[in-house]
Amino acid sequence: MADRLDFDGVVLDIEGTICPISFVKDVLFPYALTSLDTLLTTSWTSPTFAPYRDAFPPQYRTDPSTFRAHVHDLVARDVKIAYLKNLQGHLWLSGYESGLLTCPLFPDVLPALKHWHASGIPIVIYSSGSVAAQKLLFQYTNGEGGDKDLRGLVGGWFDTVNAGLKGERGSYGRIVEGMNEVRREKGEKEIEIARWLFCSDRVEEVDAAREAGIQAVVVVREGNKPLSEGEKERLILIEKFDQIRGKKSI
């Protein structure tokens, strides 16, 4: 079924879709927590840190230890909330810039991104991580040669702030409308919602996209949450992006 999909725009999740979940869970999250300890010691009252600190609820920013405990609790419970995601993006910046952090893309991702971009298929990123964090991840990838900074291939960036929660159908409609607004400003033809494709490893997100009228597939990668037999039967599954084509075969 995947090879029969036809689409004019693609929306991509990040972890478990373009890079391993383990990179986020086992590398990015621990790095942020380690960096946080240093930041709280040296920059608690810094004007640079203030916007991230002050975005947290007042009861959790009374002192560094209370702040730290709340961050650790949110990360442990994998709470996807904007003020945490913005802080994590800030903490990751130094790691990316120093070379300690590099996003390990799955091998099929870069060829697909290049193909879609060359074919005029707009590429949109939609993740629970902040837009700033998304751009960092795409700026510092393991792409070969000069293909490490991939931000130029992406036409739109969406997170839970400018689109909404990923398990809600309305979020996908806002993404399509946001992209079409940009296309109208450029004098380009709008892309109907049914001509978009969403790729994610999370069934609840795929279901929400389908309810909104978007084509959607579940991306099956090593390390992703196993699917039930019922989910395998009712959903379209892909293991690599070259199983879907868009306007031209990859």
Side-chain angles (χ1 to χ4, degrees):
M1 294 177 64
D3 62 355
R4 294 197 297 271
L5 289 170
D6 193 24
F7 53 93
D8 297 320
V10 62
V11 181
L12 302 175
D13 173 44
I14 290 182
E15 63 177 285
T17 298
I18 69 164
C19 70
I21 289 178
S22 59
F23 174 63
V24 177
K25 303 294 186 185
D26 301 335
V27 178
L28 289 184
F29 284 0
Y31 181 90
L33 293 178
T34 300
S35 298
L36 178 65
D37 289 341
T38 301
L39 191 67
L40 293 179
T41 301
T42 62
S43 306
W44 176 249
T45 59
S46 166
T48 302
F49 179 58
Y52 301 98
R53 180 196 65 208
D54 294 346
F56 278 65
Q59 65 268 33
Y60 297 119
R61 48 185 165 89
T62 55
D63 58 80
S65 61
T66 300
F67 188 92
R68 179 184 186 277
H70 183 52
V71 171
H72 276 255
D73 175 61
L74 293 174
V75 172
R77 294 188 288 118
D78 195 21
V79 176
K80 302 182 187 302
I81 193 165
Y83 60 78
L84 172 65
K85 297 302 180 182
N86 287 332
L87 173 64
Q88 288 174 323
H90 175 64
L91 294 169
W92 291 327
L93 176 59
S94 62
Y96 280 115
E97 290 181 335
S98 68
L100 290 174
L101 297 176
T102 301
C103 176
L105 299 174
F106 290 116
D108 58 290
V109 173
L110 182 54
L113 295 178
K114 287 183 172 180
H115 163 74
W116 290 328
H117 186 261
S119 300
I121 295 176
I123 300 167
V124 174
I125 301 301
Y126 179 32
S127 171
S128 57
S130 68
V131 167
Q134 295 172 25
K135 291 181 177 180
L136 274 177
L137 186 146
F138 271 79
Q139 183 177 359
Y140 298 95
T141 75
N142 63 344
E144 298 180 357
D147 294 322
K148 296 184 183 298
D149 185 350
L150 307 181
R151 291 174 297 173
L153 301 179
V154 179
W157 310 87
F158 291 87
D159 57 18
T160 57
V161 174
N162 63 357
L165 297 176
K166 297 181 73 180
E168 297 180 354
R169 60 181 292 179
S171 302
Y172 299 88
R174 282 187 282 275
I175 289 173
V176 172
E177 178 52 36
M179 291 303 297
N180 279 335
E181 181 177 350
V182 172
R183 294 181 70 83
R184 288 193 295 269
E185 291 174 353
K186 294 180 177 180
E188 298 174 347
K189 183 180 179 181
E190 294 185 15
I191 299 176
E192 296 180 2
I193 195 166
R195 297 293 301 171
W196 285 89
L197 174 70
F198 175 58
C199 304
S200 173
D201 64 305
R202 303 296 294 268
V203 170
E204 65 272 20
E205 296 172 4
V206 167
D207 283 340
R210 294 175 69 198
E211 290 174 5
I214 292 179
Q215 302 176 69
V217 299
V218 176
V219 183
V220 179
R221 305 280 198 184
E222 183 177 354
N224 288 2
K225 180 181 177 181
L227 301 174
S228 69
E229 290 304 315
E231 290 168 342
K232 292 178 182 178
E233 291 178 2
R234 70 179 182 83
L235 297 169
I236 299 176
L237 314 180
I238 64 168
E239 295 181 353
K240 296 180 179 180
F241 285 145
D242 56 15
Q243 293 175 254
I244 51 180
R245 55 189 176 88
K247 293 179 179 177
K248 300 177 182 177
S249 297
I250 296 175

